[in-house]
Amino acid sequence: MNLVPQRLDGSGGVLISRCNGESLLDLPTESVKSLMRSAGVVMFRGFDAGPEMMKQFADQYSYKFNRDRLRPTVEGSGGHVQMVTEGMGYVDPHCEQANSPFRPDALWFTCTKPAAEGGETLYWDGIRLWAALSDELKDVFRQKKLRFFQRYSKEKWQLFLGYDATVADIKKELDGVEGVSYFLNADEALYLEYVSSAVVQTRYGHVEAFANSLMSEWKNTLGDLMTFDDGSLITEDIVQEVKTALDSCTEAVDWQPGDLVFIDNSRFLHGRNGFTDTTRKIYSSLSFLNF
Ligand SMILES: [Fe+2]
């Protein structure tokens, strides 16, 4: 079976449509991997996907899954599929869990019921974004790193490490990891400082990409504006220039029921348009890739 990818309109991503009634699980894995490597965003349409199928499909390309801090898991998925339930507003561009050392390689979404209006998943190619920034700002981001602060209760860090993970496990996981400083409170809550560059190397091709969680974390970390690792403020001007670059390369998934989307989390940021339809149903999985 040969895959016939089409360019998504005005986008770097590609679309695979079902043509002969084949199952998503029958698609030739090597061809799918090759598309994922090159395009970074691949949409599968017409395959009648849902949370169960997404788990089986993502399993073919993954060796490990992260759970999400905010989302309820889907029964029977081993905690590997979550329902996207948080809020209905606009979601700022971010890479998934890029504010922590738990950042997964890939993000998977499937939609069984799109919103009547709005609710599109948005995405931005970090390679294009980096190219759109001025040389002056690139220098700033090359010289200074982002600094994220977070508090995880025990139940929250167990989402990453497993439900029976202990304090010894979290220490083993975090000790010696680049950019990580942490403190474990008496109630076993984890206070984590994570320092990482805003510009990262993509998993495939090792190209520089502006792929981070600056925009989603800028105002909500400790209630203050974020600083760089040297303590200097990330100013409105800097954020405004990033916003302008983002606006120049926004792409959108206009959901149809049964769609499934793969996103390379080392290269692409994602977000969401707001919506009001309470019947919208989208599921997500976060995984580490086996290729
Ligand atoms: Fe997200």
Side-chain angles (χ1 to χ4, degrees):
M1 188 195 314
N2 286 325
L3 295 183
V4 187
Q6 291 169 274
R7 282 255 162 243
L8 284 164
D9 260 357
S11 162
V14 294
L15 170 70
I16 300 294
S17 301
R18 189 187 211 174
C19 23
N20 296 313
E22 70 277 27
S23 161
L24 204 50
L25 305 176
D26 295 335
L27 296 180
T29 52
E30 288 312 313
S31 310
V32 172
K33 286 177 191 175
S34 156
L35 273 180
M36 287 170 169
R37 281 191 199 101
S38 58
V41 166
V42 185
M43 167 176 273
F44 301 86
R45 176 158 282 171
F47 292 92
D48 204 16
E52 263 310 295
M53 191 181 286
M54 179 166 74
K55 181 186 178 310
Q56 291 177 46
F57 187 64
D59 266 344
Q60 291 184 324
Y61 303 95
S62 309
Y63 70 90
K64 195 174 98 174
F65 288 79
N66 264 358
R67 295 163 177 86
D68 188 282
R69 285 201 284 163
L70 304 171
R71 299 174 179 166
T73 56
V74 172
E75 212 174 308
S77 71
H80 294 175
V81 181
Q82 289 91 35
M83 196 164 176
V84 179
T85 52
E86 67 279 12
M88 298 170 94
Y90 175 79
V91 174
D92 282 313
H94 61 284
C95 291
E96 203 60 40
Q97 296 170 352
N99 54 353
S100 79
F102 307 114
R103 179 179 186 156
D105 299 329
L107 176 62
W108 311 78
F109 284 117
T110 186
C111 177
T112 54
K113 173 80 172 62
E117 207 180 324
E120 297 88 355
T121 291
L122 305 173
Y123 60 97
W124 296 263
D125 188 343
I127 298 174
R128 283 179 65 194
L129 209 46
W130 184 239
L133 296 180
S134 67
D135 289 342
E136 291 74 22
L137 193 53
K138 281 182 186 163
D139 281 344
V140 172
F141 284 122
R142 281 203 178 98
Q143 286 159 16
K144 301 181 180 192
K145 293 182 173 174
L146 304 178
R147 183 167 63 171
F148 301 100
F149 287 105
Q150 273 148 118
R151 176 188 179 276
Y152 299 88
S153 65
K154 185 181 183 183
E155 299 74 50
K156 298 295 182 195
W157 56 255
Q158 282 180 330
L159 294 177
F160 297 111
L161 294 188
Y163 293 131
D164 50 3
T166 63
V167 164
D169 294 327
I170 188 85
K171 285 183 175 169
K172 202 169 133 200
E173 181 80 14
L174 295 177
D175 282 348
V177 174
E178 200 187 332
V180 168
S181 315
Y182 70 91
F183 167 73
L184 276 159
N185 205 29
D187 63 359
E188 301 191 347
L190 170 72
Y191 290 78
L192 183 78
E193 181 195 89
Y194 182 59
V195 172
S196 71
S197 180
V199 52
V200 298
Q201 297 244 311
T202 57
R203 177 178 176 82
Y204 303 113
H206 306 292
V207 182
E208 284 183 317
F210 190 78
N212 56 65
S213 292
L214 168 64
M215 301 306 277
S216 60
E217 298 293 315
W218 180 54
K219 279 188 176 166
N220 62 16
T221 305
L222 299 184
D224 283 324
L225 296 187
M226 259 175 89
T227 62
F228 287 109
D229 57 338
D230 65 356
S232 62
L233 201 64
I234 302 179
T235 62
E236 291 270 359
D237 285 353
I238 290 176
V239 169
Q240 199 48 55
E241 187 179 332
V242 172
K243 260 188 193 147
T244 304
L246 282 159
D247 289 346
S248 72
C249 53
T250 308
E251 305 173 49
V253 176
D254 197 1
W255 291 107
Q256 291 184 14
D259 281 348
L260 185 149
V261 169
F262 161 90
I263 297 176
D264 177 348
N265 195 43
S266 75
R267 170 175 164 189
F268 279 82
L269 300 92
H270 64 279
R272 177 186 77 194
N273 275 333
F275 59 97
T276 53
D277 181 353
T278 54
T279 65
R280 177 184 189 260
K281 278 201 173 54
I282 292 209
Y283 302 84
S284 67
S285 280
L286 315 172
S287 81
F288 293 86
L289 298 170
N290 61 14
F291 63 98

